[in-house]
Coordinates of all heavy atoms in Angstrom, one line a residue:
K44 N 6.1 0.3 45.6 CA 5.7 0.4 44.2 C 6.8 -0.5 43.2 O 7.9 -0.2 43.5 CB 5.6 1.8 43.7 CG 5.2 2.1 42.3 CD 5.3 3.5 41.9 CE 5.1 3.6 40.4 NZ 5.0 4.9 39.9
K45 N 6.1 -1.2 42.5 CA 7.0 -2.1 41.6 C 7.6 -1.2 40.4 O 6.8 -0.4 39.8 CB 6.3 -3.3 40.9 CG 6.0 -4.4 41.9 CD 5.5 -5.6 41.3 CE 5.5 -6.8 42.2 NZ 4.8 -7.8 41.5
A46 N 8.7 -1.6 40.0 CA 9.3 -0.8 38.9 C 8.6 -1.3 37.6 O 8.4 -2.6 37.4 CB 10.8 -1.0 38.8
D47 N 8.5 -0.6 36.7 CA 7.9 -1.0 35.3 C 9.0 -1.8 34.6 O 10.1 -1.5 34.8 CB 7.5 0.2 34.4 CG 6.4 1.1 35.0 OD1 5.5 0.4 35.7 OD2 6.3 2.3 34.6
P48 N 8.5 -2.9 33.9 CA 9.5 -3.7 33.2 C 10.2 -2.8 32.1 O 9.5 -1.9 31.6 CB 8.7 -4.9 32.6 CG 7.2 -4.3 32.7 CD 7.2 -3.3 33.8
P49 N 11.4 -3.2 31.9 CA 12.0 -2.4 30.7 C 11.3 -2.5 29.5 O 10.9 -3.6 29.0 CB 13.4 -3.0 30.6 CG 13.5 -4.2 31.4 CD 12.2 -4.3 32.2
K50 N 11.2 -1.3 28.8 CA 10.5 -1.3 27.5 C 11.4 -1.9 26.4 O 12.6 -1.5 26.3 CB 10.1 0.2 27.1 CG 9.0 0.6 27.9 CD 8.6 2.0 27.5 CE 7.4 2.4 28.2 NZ 6.6 3.5 27.5
K51 N 10.8 -2.7 25.6 CA 11.4 -3.3 24.5 C 11.3 -2.3 23.3 O 10.3 -1.7 23.2 CB 10.8 -4.6 24.0 CG 11.0 -5.7 25.0 CD 10.2 -7.0 24.5 CE 10.4 -8.1 25.6 NZ 9.6 -9.3 25.2
P52 N 12.4 -2.2 22.5 CA 12.2 -1.4 21.4 C 11.0 -1.9 20.5 O 10.8 -3.1 20.3 CB 13.5 -1.5 20.5 CG 14.3 -2.7 21.2 CD 13.6 -2.9 22.6
D53 N 10.4 -1.0 19.9 CA 9.3 -1.5 19.0 C 9.7 -2.3 17.9 O 10.6 -2.0 17.0 CB 8.6 -0.3 18.3 CG 7.7 0.6 19.4 OD1 7.4 -0.1 20.4 OD2 7.4 1.7 19.1
E54 N 9.2 -3.4 17.8 CA 9.6 -4.3 16.7 C 8.8 -4.0 15.5 O 7.7 -3.7 15.5 CB 9.2 -5.8 17.2 CG 10.1 -6.3 18.3 CD 9.9 -7.9 18.5 OE1 9.4 -8.5 17.6 OE2 10.1 -8.2 19.7
P55 N 9.5 -4.0 14.3 CA 8.8 -3.7 13.1 C 7.7 -4.7 12.8 O 7.9 -5.9 13.0 CB 9.8 -3.7 12.0 CG 10.9 -4.5 12.5 CD 11.0 -4.5 14.0
K56 N 6.6 -4.2 12.5 CA 5.4 -5.2 12.2 C 5.6 -5.7 10.7 O 5.9 -4.8 9.9 CB 4.1 -4.4 12.4 CG 3.9 -4.0 13.9 CD 2.5 -3.3 14.0 CE 2.4 -3.1 15.5 NZ 1.8 -1.8 15.8
P57 N 5.2 -6.9 10.5 CA 5.3 -7.4 9.2 C 4.3 -6.7 8.3 O 3.2 -6.3 8.7 CB 4.9 -8.9 9.3 CG 4.3 -9.0 10.6 CD 4.7 -7.9 11.5
D58 N 4.7 -6.3 7.1 CA 3.7 -5.7 6.1 C 2.6 -6.6 5.8 O 2.8 -7.6 5.2 CB 4.6 -5.3 4.9 CG 3.8 -4.5 3.9 OD1 2.6 -4.2 4.1 OD2 4.2 -4.3 2.7
P59 N 1.4 -6.2 6.1 CA 0.3 -7.1 5.9 C -0.2 -7.0 4.4 O -0.8 -7.8 3.9 CB -0.8 -6.4 6.8 CG -0.5 -4.9 6.7 CD 1.0 -5.0 6.8
G60 N 0.5 -6.1 3.6 CA 0.1 -6.1 2.2 C -1.1 -5.3 1.9 O -1.7 -4.7 2.9
P61 N -1.5 -5.2 0.7 CA -2.7 -4.3 0.5 C -4.0 -5.0 1.1 O -4.0 -6.3 1.2 CB -2.8 -4.3 -1.1 CG -1.9 -5.4 -1.6 CD -1.0 -5.8 -0.5
S62 N -4.9 -4.1 1.5 CA -6.2 -4.5 2.0 C -7.2 -4.9 1.0 O -8.1 -5.5 1.3 CB -6.6 -3.6 3.1 OG -6.9 -2.3 2.5
A63 N -7.0 -4.3 -0.2 CA -8.1 -4.5 -1.2 C -8.1 -5.9 -1.7 O -7.0 -6.6 -1.6 CB -7.8 -3.6 -2.4
D64 N -9.1 -6.4 -2.3 CA -9.2 -7.8 -2.9 C -8.7 -7.8 -4.3 O -9.4 -7.4 -5.3 CB -10.6 -8.3 -2.8 CG -10.8 -9.7 -3.2 OD1 -9.9 -10.2 -4.0 OD2 -11.8 -10.3 -2.9
G65 N -7.5 -8.1 -4.5 CA -6.9 -8.2 -5.8 C -7.4 -9.0 -6.9 O -7.5 -8.8 -8.0
K66 N -7.9 -10.2 -6.3 CA -8.5 -11.3 -7.2 C -9.9 -10.5 -7.7 O -10.2 -10.7 -9.0 CB -8.7 -12.5 -6.5 CG -9.5 -13.6 -7.4 CD -9.4 -15.0 -6.7 CE -10.0 -16.0 -7.6 NZ -10.1 -17.3 -7.0
D67 N -10.7 -10.0 -7.0 CA -11.9 -9.5 -7.3 C -11.6 -8.3 -8.2 O -12.4 -8.2 -9.4 CB -12.6 -9.0 -6.1 CG -13.9 -8.3 -6.4 OD1 -14.9 -9.1 -7.0 OD2 -14.3 -7.2 -6.1
L68 N -10.7 -7.5 -8.0 CA -10.4 -6.4 -8.9 C -10.0 -6.8 -10.3 O -10.2 -6.4 -11.3 CB -9.4 -5.5 -8.3 CG -9.8 -4.5 -7.1 CD1 -8.6 -4.0 -6.3 CD2 -10.7 -3.4 -7.7
F69 N -9.1 -7.9 -10.2 CA -8.4 -8.5 -11.4 C -9.7 -8.9 -12.4 O -9.9 -8.7 -13.5 CB -7.6 -9.5 -11.2 CG -7.0 -10.1 -12.4 CD1 -5.7 -9.6 -12.8 CD2 -7.5 -11.1 -13.2 CE1 -5.1 -10.0 -13.9 CE2 -6.8 -11.6 -14.3 CZ -5.7 -11.0 -14.7
G70 N -10.7 -9.6 -11.8 CA -11.9 -10.1 -12.4 C -12.6 -9.0 -13.0 O -13.3 -9.2 -14.1
K71 N -12.7 -7.7 -12.3 CA -13.5 -6.7 -12.8 C -12.7 -5.8 -13.9 O -13.4 -5.4 -14.8 CB -13.9 -5.8 -11.7 CG -14.9 -6.5 -10.8 CD -15.2 -5.6 -9.6 CE -16.2 -6.3 -8.7 NZ -16.5 -5.4 -7.4
K72 N -11.4 -5.7 -13.7 CA -10.7 -4.6 -14.4 C -9.7 -5.3 -15.5 O -9.4 -4.6 -16.4 CB -9.8 -3.7 -13.5 CG -10.7 -3.2 -12.4 CD -11.5 -2.0 -13.1 CE -12.2 -1.2 -12.0 NZ -13.2 -0.2 -12.6
C73 N -9.3 -6.5 -15.2 CA -8.1 -7.1 -16.1 C -8.6 -8.3 -17.0 O -7.9 -8.4 -18.0 CB -7.0 -7.4 -15.2 SG -6.6 -6.1 -14.0
K74 N -9.4 -9.1 -16.4 CA -9.7 -10.4 -17.1 C -10.2 -10.2 -18.5 O -9.9 -11.2 -19.3 CB -10.8 -11.1 -16.2 CG -11.1 -12.5 -16.7 CD -12.1 -13.2 -15.8 CE -13.5 -12.8 -16.2 NZ -14.6 -13.6 -15.5
S75 N -10.9 -9.2 -18.8 CA -11.4 -9.1 -20.2 C -10.3 -9.0 -21.2 O -10.5 -9.5 -22.5 CB -12.3 -7.9 -20.3 OG -11.7 -6.7 -20.2
C76 N -9.1 -8.6 -20.9 CA -7.9 -8.6 -21.8 C -7.0 -9.7 -21.5 O -6.4 -10.2 -22.3 CB -7.2 -7.3 -21.7 SG -8.2 -5.7 -22.2
H77 N -6.6 -9.9 -20.2 CA -5.6 -10.8 -19.8 C -6.0 -12.2 -19.5 O -5.3 -13.0 -19.2 CB -4.9 -10.2 -18.6 CG -4.2 -9.0 -18.9 ND1 -2.8 -8.9 -19.4 CD2 -4.5 -7.7 -18.6 CE1 -2.5 -7.7 -19.7 NE2 -3.4 -6.9 -19.2
N78 N -7.3 -12.4 -19.4 CA -7.9 -13.8 -19.1 C -7.8 -14.0 -17.6 O -7.0 -13.5 -17.0 CB -7.4 -14.9 -20.0 CG -8.3 -16.0 -20.1 OD1 -9.4 -16.0 -19.6 ND2 -8.0 -17.1 -20.9
S79 N -8.6 -14.8 -17.1 CA -8.6 -15.1 -15.7 C -7.3 -15.7 -15.2 O -6.9 -15.6 -14.0 CB -9.7 -15.9 -15.2 OG -9.8 -17.2 -15.9
N80 N -6.5 -16.4 -16.1 CA -5.3 -17.1 -15.7 C -4.1 -16.3 -16.1 O -3.0 -16.7 -15.9 CB -5.3 -18.5 -16.1 CG -5.2 -18.7 -17.6 OD1 -5.2 -17.6 -18.2 ND2 -5.1 -19.8 -18.2
G81 N -4.4 -15.2 -16.7 CA -3.2 -14.5 -17.1 C -2.5 -14.9 -18.5 O -1.5 -14.4 -18.8
D82 N -3.2 -15.7 -19.3 CA -2.6 -16.2 -20.4 C -2.8 -15.3 -21.6 O -2.3 -15.6 -22.7 CB -2.9 -17.7 -20.8 CG -4.4 -17.8 -21.2 OD1 -5.2 -16.9 -21.3 OD2 -4.8 -18.9 -21.3
G83 N -3.6 -14.4 -21.5 CA -3.9 -13.3 -22.5 C -4.8 -13.9 -23.6 O -4.9 -13.3 -24.7
K84 N -5.4 -15.2 -23.5 CA -6.2 -15.7 -24.6 C -7.5 -15.3 -24.6 O -8.5 -16.0 -24.2 CB -6.0 -17.3 -24.5 CG -4.7 -17.6 -24.9 CD -4.4 -19.2 -25.0 CE -3.0 -19.3 -25.3 NZ -2.6 -20.8 -25.7
T85 N -7.8 -14.0 -24.9 CA -9.1 -13.4 -25.0 C -9.1 -12.8 -26.4 O -8.2 -12.5 -27.0 CB -9.4 -12.4 -23.9 OG1 -8.4 -11.3 -24.2 CG2 -9.1 -12.8 -22.5
K86 N -10.2 -12.3 -26.8 CA -10.4 -11.7 -28.0 C -9.5 -10.5 -28.0 O -8.7 -10.3 -29.0 CB -11.9 -11.4 -28.5 CG -12.0 -10.7 -29.8 CD -13.5 -10.4 -30.1 CE -13.6 -9.9 -31.5 NZ -14.8 -9.6 -31.9
I87 N -9.7 -9.7 -27.0 CA -9.0 -8.4 -27.0 C -7.4 -8.7 -26.9 O -6.5 -8.1 -27.4 CB -9.3 -7.5 -25.8 CG1 -10.7 -7.0 -26.2 CG2 -8.4 -6.4 -25.6 CD1 -11.4 -6.4 -24.8
G88 N -7.0 -9.9 -26.1 CA -5.8 -10.2 -25.8 C -5.0 -10.7 -27.2 O -3.9 -10.3 -27.4
E89 N -5.7 -11.4 -28.0 CA -5.2 -12.0 -29.2 C -5.1 -10.8 -30.2 O -4.1 -10.8 -30.9 CB -5.9 -13.2 -29.6 CG -5.7 -14.3 -28.7 CD -6.6 -15.6 -29.0 OE1 -7.5 -15.5 -29.9 OE2 -6.5 -16.6 -28.3
E90 N -6.1 -10.0 -30.3 CA -6.0 -8.8 -31.2 C -4.9 -7.9 -30.9 O -4.3 -7.2 -31.8 CB -7.4 -8.1 -31.1 CG -8.5 -8.7 -31.9 CD -9.8 -8.0 -31.6 OE1 -9.9 -7.1 -30.9 OE2 -10.9 -8.5 -32.2
N91 N -4.5 -7.8 -29.7 CA -3.4 -6.9 -29.2 C -2.2 -7.5 -28.8 O -1.2 -6.9 -28.4 CB -3.9 -6.0 -28.2 CG -5.1 -5.1 -28.6 OD1 -4.8 -4.0 -29.3 ND2 -6.3 -5.4 -28.4
D92 N -2.0 -8.8 -29.1 CA -0.8 -9.5 -28.8 C -0.3 -9.4 -27.2 O 0.9 -9.0 -27.1 CB 0.4 -9.1 -29.8 CG 1.5 -10.2 -29.9 OD1 1.1 -11.3 -29.6 OD2 2.5 -9.8 -30.3
I93 N -1.2 -9.6 -26.4 CA -0.9 -9.4 -25.1 C -0.1 -10.6 -24.6 O -0.3 -11.8 -24.9 CB -2.2 -9.4 -24.2 CG1 -2.8 -7.9 -24.5 CG2 -1.9 -9.5 -22.7 CD1 -4.2 -7.8 -23.7
E94 N 1.1 -10.3 -24.0 CA 1.9 -11.3 -23.5 C 1.4 -12.3 -22.4 O 0.6 -11.8 -21.6 CB 3.2 -10.6 -22.9 CG 4.3 -11.6 -22.5 CD 5.6 -10.7 -22.0 OE1 5.6 -9.5 -22.1 OE2 6.5 -11.5 -21.7
A95 N 1.7 -13.6 -22.6 CA 1.1 -14.6 -21.7 C 2.0 -14.6 -20.5 O 3.3 -14.6 -20.6 CB 1.1 -16.0 -22.4
W96 N 1.5 -14.5 -19.3 CA 2.1 -14.5 -18.1 C 2.5 -15.9 -17.6 O 3.1 -16.2 -16.7 CB 1.3 -13.8 -17.0 CG 1.0 -12.4 -17.2 CD1 1.5 -11.6 -18.3 CD2 -0.1 -11.5 -16.7 NE1 0.9 -10.3 -18.2 CE2 -0.2 -10.4 -17.4 CE3 -1.1 -11.9 -15.7 CZ2 -1.0 -9.4 -17.0 CZ3 -1.9 -10.9 -15.4 CH2 -1.8 -9.6 -16.0
T97 N 1.8 -16.9 -18.2 CA 1.8 -18.3 -17.8 C 3.1 -19.0 -18.4 O 3.3 -20.2 -18.1 CB 0.6 -19.1 -18.3 OG1 0.4 -18.9 -19.7 CG2 -0.6 -18.4 -17.5
V98 N 3.9 -18.3 -19.1 CA 5.1 -18.9 -19.6 C 6.3 -18.7 -18.8 O 6.4 -17.8 -18.0 CB 5.6 -18.2 -21.0 CG1 4.5 -18.4 -22.1 CG2 5.9 -16.7 -20.9
A99 N 7.1 -19.8 -18.8 CA 8.3 -19.7 -17.7 C 9.1 -18.5 -17.9 O 9.4 -18.2 -19.1 CB 9.1 -21.1 -18.0
G100 N 9.6 -17.9 -16.9 CA 10.5 -16.9 -17.0 C 9.7 -15.5 -16.8 O 10.3 -14.4 -16.7
W101 N 8.5 -15.4 -17.0 CA 7.7 -14.2 -17.0 C 8.0 -13.4 -15.7 O 8.3 -12.2 -15.6 CB 6.1 -14.4 -17.2 CG 5.5 -13.1 -17.3 CD1 5.3 -12.4 -18.5 CD2 4.8 -12.5 -16.3 NE1 4.6 -11.3 -18.2 CE2 4.2 -11.3 -16.8 CE3 4.6 -12.8 -14.9 CZ2 3.4 -10.4 -16.1 CZ3 3.8 -11.8 -14.2 CH2 3.3 -10.6 -14.8
K102 N 7.8 -14.1 -14.6 CA 7.9 -13.4 -13.2 C 9.3 -12.8 -13.2 O 9.4 -11.7 -12.5 CB 7.7 -14.3 -12.1 CG 6.3 -14.2 -11.6 CD 6.2 -15.1 -10.4 CE 4.9 -15.0 -9.8 NZ 4.7 -15.8 -8.6
A103 N 10.5 -13.5 -13.5 CA 11.7 -12.9 -13.5 C 11.8 -11.6 -14.2 O 12.6 -10.6 -13.9 CB 12.7 -14.0 -14.0
K104 N 11.1 -11.4 -15.4 CA 11.1 -10.3 -16.1 C 10.2 -9.1 -15.6 O 10.6 -8.0 -15.9 CB 10.6 -10.7 -17.6 CG 11.0 -9.7 -18.6 CD 10.9 -10.3 -20.0 CE 9.5 -10.0 -20.6 NZ 9.4 -10.6 -21.9
W105 N 9.2 -9.5 -14.9 CA 8.3 -8.4 -14.5 C 8.2 -8.4 -12.9 O 7.5 -9.2 -12.2 CB 6.9 -8.8 -15.1 CG 6.9 -8.7 -16.5 CD1 7.2 -9.7 -17.4 CD2 6.5 -7.6 -17.3 NE1 7.0 -9.2 -18.7 CE2 6.7 -7.8 -18.7 CE3 6.2 -6.3 -17.0 CZ2 6.5 -7.0 -19.8 CZ3 6.0 -5.5 -18.0 CH2 6.1 -5.8 -19.3
T106 N 9.0 -7.4 -12.3 CA 8.8 -7.3 -11.0 C 7.4 -6.7 -10.5 O 6.8 -6.1 -11.3 CB 10.0 -6.3 -10.5 OG1 9.7 -4.9 -11.0 CG2 11.3 -6.7 -10.9
E107 N 7.2 -6.8 -9.2 CA 5.8 -6.3 -8.8 C 5.9 -4.9 -9.0 O 4.8 -4.1 -9.4 CB 5.6 -6.7 -7.3 CG 4.2 -6.4 -6.9 CD 3.9 -7.1 -5.5 OE1 4.4 -8.2 -5.4 OE2 3.0 -6.5 -4.7
A108 N 6.9 -4.1 -8.8 CA 7.1 -2.6 -8.8 C 6.8 -2.3 -10.3 O 6.2 -1.2 -10.6 CB 8.5 -2.1 -8.4
K109 N 7.3 -3.0 -11.3 CA 7.0 -2.7 -12.6 C 5.5 -2.8 -13.0 O 5.0 -2.0 -13.7 CB 8.0 -3.6 -13.6 CG 8.0 -3.3 -14.9 CD 9.0 -4.3 -15.6 CE 9.3 -3.9 -17.1 NZ 10.3 -4.9 -17.8
I110 N 5.0 -3.9 -12.4 CA 3.6 -4.1 -12.7 C 2.7 -3.0 -12.1 O 1.9 -2.5 -12.7 CB 3.1 -5.6 -12.1 CG1 3.9 -6.6 -13.0 CG2 1.7 -5.6 -12.2 CD1 3.7 -7.9 -12.3
V111 N 2.9 -2.6 -10.9 CA 2.3 -1.4 -10.2 C 2.4 -0.1 -11.1 O 1.5 0.6 -11.3 CB 3.0 -1.2 -8.8 CG1 2.5 0.1 -8.3 CG2 2.6 -2.3 -7.9
D112 N 3.7 0.0 -11.7 CA 3.9 1.3 -12.5 C 3.1 1.1 -13.7 O 2.4 2.1 -14.2 CB 5.4 1.3 -12.8 CG 5.7 2.5 -13.7 OD1 5.3 3.7 -13.3 OD2 6.2 2.4 -14.9
I113 N 3.0 -0.1 -14.4 CA 2.2 -0.1 -15.6 C 0.6 0.0 -15.3 O -0.1 0.7 -16.1 CB 2.4 -1.6 -16.3 CG1 3.8 -1.5 -16.9 CG2 1.5 -1.8 -17.4 CD1 4.4 -2.9 -17.3
V114 N 0.3 -0.7 -14.3 CA -1.2 -0.4 -13.9 C -1.5 1.0 -13.5 O -2.6 1.5 -13.9 CB -1.5 -1.3 -12.6 CG1 -2.9 -1.1 -12.3 CG2 -1.4 -2.9 -13.0
T115 N -0.5 1.6 -12.9 CA -0.8 3.1 -12.5 C -0.7 4.0 -13.7 O -1.8 4.8 -13.9 CB 0.3 3.4 -11.4 OG1 0.3 2.6 -10.5 CG2 0.1 5.0 -11.0
T116 N 0.2 3.9 -14.5 CA 0.5 4.8 -15.6 C 0.2 4.3 -17.1 O 0.1 5.1 -18.1 CB 1.9 5.4 -15.6 OG1 2.8 4.3 -15.8 CG2 2.3 6.0 -14.3
G117 N -0.2 3.0 -17.2 CA -0.4 2.4 -18.4 C 0.8 2.1 -19.1 O 2.0 2.1 -18.6
K118 N 0.8 1.4 -20.3 CA 1.9 1.0 -21.1 C 1.9 1.5 -22.4 O 1.1 1.3 -23.2 CB 2.1 -0.5 -21.0 CG 3.2 -1.1 -21.6 CD 3.3 -2.7 -21.5 CE 4.6 -3.2 -22.1 NZ 4.4 -4.6 -22.2
S119 N 2.9 2.5 -22.7 CA 3.0 3.2 -23.9 C 3.0 2.1 -25.1 O 3.7 1.0 -24.9 CB 4.0 4.3 -24.0 OG 5.4 3.5 -24.0
G120 N 2.5 2.5 -26.2 CA 2.5 1.6 -27.5 C 1.5 0.4 -27.3 O 1.6 -0.4 -28.2
T121 N 0.7 0.4 -26.2 CA -0.3 -0.7 -26.2 C -1.5 -0.1 -25.7 O -1.7 1.1 -25.6 CB 0.2 -1.7 -25.0 OG1 0.0 -1.0 -23.7 CG2 1.6 -2.2 -25.2
K122 N -2.6 -0.9 -25.7 CA -4.0 -0.5 -25.4 C -4.1 -0.5 -23.7 O -5.1 -0.2 -23.3 CB -5.0 -1.4 -25.9 CG -5.0 -1.5 -27.4 CD -6.3 -1.0 -28.0 CE -6.3 -1.1 -29.4 NZ -7.0 -0.1 -30.0
M123 N -3.1 -0.9 -23.0 CA -3.0 -0.8 -21.6 C -3.1 0.6 -21.0 O -2.2 1.3 -21.2 CB -1.8 -1.5 -21.1 CG -1.7 -1.6 -19.5 SD -3.0 -2.5 -18.8 CE -2.9 -2.0 -17.1
K124 N -4.3 1.0 -20.5 CA -4.5 2.4 -20.0 C -4.2 2.5 -18.5 O -4.1 1.4 -17.8 CB -5.9 2.7 -20.3 CG -6.9 1.8 -19.5 CD -8.4 2.0 -19.9 CE -9.3 1.1 -19.0 NZ -10.6 1.0 -19.5
A125 N -4.0 3.7 -18.3 CA -3.7 3.9 -16.7 C -4.8 3.9 -15.9 O -5.9 4.2 -16.3 CB -3.0 5.4 -16.7
F126 N -4.5 3.4 -14.7 CA -5.7 3.2 -13.7 C -5.5 4.1 -12.5 O -6.3 3.9 -11.5 CB -5.9 1.6 -13.3 CG -6.6 0.8 -14.2 CD1 -5.7 0.2 -15.3 CD2 -7.8 0.5 -14.2 CE1 -6.4 -0.7 -16.3 CE2 -8.4 -0.3 -15.1 CZ -7.8 -0.8 -16.0
K127 N -4.6 5.0 -12.6 CA -4.4 6.0 -11.5 C -5.5 6.7 -11.1 O -5.7 7.1 -10.0 CB -3.1 6.8 -11.7 CG -3.3 7.7 -12.8 CD -2.0 8.5 -13.1 CE -2.3 9.5 -14.2 NZ -1.2 9.4 -15.2
D128 N -6.4 7.0 -12.1 CA -7.6 7.7 -11.8 C -8.9 7.0 -11.5 O -9.9 7.5 -11.2 CB -7.9 8.8 -12.9 CG -6.8 9.9 -13.0 OD1 -6.2 10.1 -12.0 OD2 -6.5 10.2 -14.1
K129 N -8.7 5.6 -11.6 CA -9.9 4.7 -11.4 C -9.6 3.9 -10.2 O -10.7 3.4 -9.8 CB -9.9 3.7 -12.7 CG -10.3 4.6 -13.9 CD -10.1 3.7 -15.1 CE -10.5 4.4 -16.4 NZ -9.7 5.4 -16.8
L130 N -8.5 3.6 -9.8 CA -8.2 2.7 -8.6 C -7.4 3.5 -7.6 O -6.7 4.4 -7.9 CB -7.4 1.5 -9.0 CG -8.1 0.6 -10.0 CD1 -7.2 -0.6 -10.4 CD2 -9.5 0.0 -9.4
T131 N -7.5 3.2 -6.3 CA -6.7 3.7 -5.3 C -5.4 3.1 -5.3 O -5.2 2.1 -5.9 CB -7.3 3.4 -3.8 OG1 -7.3 2.1 -3.6 CG2 -8.7 4.0 -3.7
A132 N -4.4 3.6 -4.6 CA -3.0 3.1 -4.5 C -3.1 1.6 -3.9 O -2.4 0.7 -4.4 CB -2.2 4.0 -3.8
D133 N -4.0 1.4 -2.9 CA -4.1 0.2 -2.2 C -4.7 -0.8 -3.4 O -4.2 -2.0 -3.4 CB -5.0 0.3 -1.1 CG -5.0 -1.1 -0.3 OD1 -3.9 -1.5 0.1 OD2 -6.2 -1.7 -0.2
E134 N -5.7 -0.5 -4.1 CA -6.3 -1.2 -5.0 C -5.2 -1.6 -6.1 O -5.2 -2.7 -6.5 CB -7.5 -0.6 -5.6 CG -8.7 -0.6 -4.7 CD -9.8 0.2 -5.2 OE1 -9.6 1.3 -5.9 OE2 -11.0 -0.1 -4.9
I135 N -4.4 -0.6 -6.6 CA -3.4 -1.0 -7.6 C -2.4 -1.9 -7.0 O -2.0 -2.9 -7.7 CB -2.8 0.4 -8.1 CG1 -3.8 1.1 -8.9 CG2 -1.5 0.2 -8.9 CD1 -3.4 2.6 -9.2
A136 N -2.0 -1.7 -5.7 CA -1.0 -2.8 -5.2 C -1.5 -4.0 -5.1 O -0.9 -5.1 -5.5 CB -0.7 -2.2 -3.9
A137 N -2.8 -4.2 -4.8 CA -3.6 -5.4 -4.6 C -3.7 -6.2 -6.0 O -3.4 -7.4 -6.0 CB -4.8 -5.3 -4.0
V138 N -4.2 -5.5 -6.9 CA -4.4 -6.1 -8.3 C -3.0 -6.5 -8.9 O -3.0 -7.5 -9.6 CB -5.3 -5.4 -9.2 CG1 -4.5 -4.1 -9.8 CG2 -6.0 -6.1 -10.3
S139 N -2.0 -5.6 -8.6 CA -0.6 -6.0 -9.2 C 0.0 -7.2 -8.6 O 0.5 -8.0 -9.3 CB 0.3 -4.8 -8.9 OG -0.3 -3.7 -9.7
K140 N -0.2 -7.3 -7.3 CA 0.1 -8.5 -6.5 C -0.5 -9.6 -6.9 O 0.1 -10.7 -7.2 CB 0.1 -8.2 -5.1 CG 0.7 -9.3 -4.2 CD 0.4 -9.0 -2.7 CE 1.2 -9.9 -1.8 NZ 2.5 -9.5 -1.6
Y141 N -1.8 -9.7 -7.2 CA -2.6 -10.8 -7.6 C -2.1 -11.1 -9.1 O -1.9 -12.3 -9.5 CB -4.1 -10.5 -7.6 CG -4.9 -11.7 -8.0 CD1 -5.0 -12.8 -7.3 CD2 -5.3 -11.7 -9.4 CE1 -5.6 -13.9 -7.8 CE2 -6.0 -12.8 -9.9 CZ -6.1 -13.9 -9.2 OH -6.9 -15.1 -9.6
A142 N -2.1 -10.1 -10.0 CA -1.6 -10.4 -11.4 C -0.3 -11.0 -11.5 O -0.2 -12.1 -12.2 CB -1.7 -9.0 -12.3
R143 N 0.5 -10.7 -10.7 CA 2.0 -11.2 -10.7 C 1.9 -12.8 -10.1 O 2.7 -13.6 -10.6 CB 2.9 -10.4 -10.0 CG 4.4 -10.9 -10.2 CD 5.4 -9.8 -9.7 NE 6.7 -10.2 -10.1 CZ 7.5 -11.1 -9.4 NH1 7.0 -11.6 -8.3 NH2 8.7 -11.5 -9.8
S144 N 1.1 -13.0 -9.3 CA 0.9 -14.3 -8.8 C 0.4 -15.4 -9.8 O 0.6 -16.6 -9.6 CB -0.1 -14.4 -7.6 OG -1.4 -14.3 -7.9
L145 N -0.1 -14.9 -10.9 CA -0.5 -15.8 -11.9 C 0.7 -16.1 -12.9 O 0.4 -17.1 -13.5 CB -1.7 -15.1 -12.8 CG -2.9 -14.6 -12.1 CD1 -3.7 -13.8 -13.0 CD2 -3.6 -15.8 -11.7
G146 N 1.6 -15.4 -12.8 CA 2.7 -15.7 -13.7 C 3.7 -16.8 -13.2 O 3.5 -17.4 -12.1
K147 N 4.5 -17.1 -14.1 CA 5.5 -18.3 -13.8 C 6.9 -17.7 -14.0 O 7.1 -16.7 -14.6 CB 5.4 -19.4 -14.8 CG 4.1 -20.1 -14.6 CD 4.0 -21.4 -15.5 CE 2.8 -22.2 -15.2 NZ 2.5 -23.2 -16.0

C-alpha cells in the first residue's frame, strides 16, 4: 500500500466578492437619484445637492465600508434611505462595490 501524499495546509481561497449583480441593482435602486454614472445630475440629485462621485478625490474620501454602511442604514440629514430591509447583505455589498467603482 502506498503512503498518502502529505496534506498541504488549506490555502485561503480568494474572496470572490458578492454574487449579486451590483450594476443591475444600481440601475434599479440608485440611478434615479445618483444617475447612471454617479454624477448626481438628476432632478432628485440636483434638488437634494447629491455629491458627484465623478470628481477627483471622491474615492479617497469614501471607503467601500462607509458606502456599505450608508446603503445599509441611510444617511442622516439627507433623503438617502436605509436599504437594510429591502436588500440582502450580499446585494448591499454588490451595489456598494459597483457604486464606488463609478467614483474617481
Side-chain angles (χ1 to χ4, degrees):
K44 180 179 175 185
K45 286 186 175 181
D47 289 334
K50 287 190 174 189
K51 293 180 185 174
D53 287 338
E54 291 182 29
K56 292 182 177 139
D58 180 5
S62 60
D64 184 342
K66 183 176 183 177
D67 182 58
L68 285 164
F69 187 89
K71 291 176 180 173
K72 303 288 185 184
C73 314
K74 184 175 88 172
S75 63
C76 296
H77 293 281
N78 207 357
S79 59
N80 67 354
D82 69 6
K84 291 186 181 188
T85 64
K86 183 175 182 185
I87 295 168
E89 290 173 359
E90 287 173 353
N91 293 281
D92 199 26
I93 291 178
E94 187 173 359
W96 304 339
T97 53
V98 297
W101 183 85
K102 261 188 178 176
K104 196 166 90 171
W105 295 89
T106 64
E107 196 166 321
K109 190 172 184 179
I110 296 168
V111 166
D112 181 56
I113 290 170
V114 174
T115 303
T116 62
K118 188 173 179 196
S119 65
T121 72
K122 299 239 180 211
M123 177 66 194
K124 60 188 176 190
F126 281 85
K127 66 181 177 233
D128 297 330
K129 296 172 179 61
L130 299 174
T131 66
D133 186 64
E134 289 171 328
I135 289 171
V138 77
S139 298
K140 186 178 191 80
Y141 178 77
R143 189 162 188 277
S144 78
L145 298 172
K147 291 186 178 179

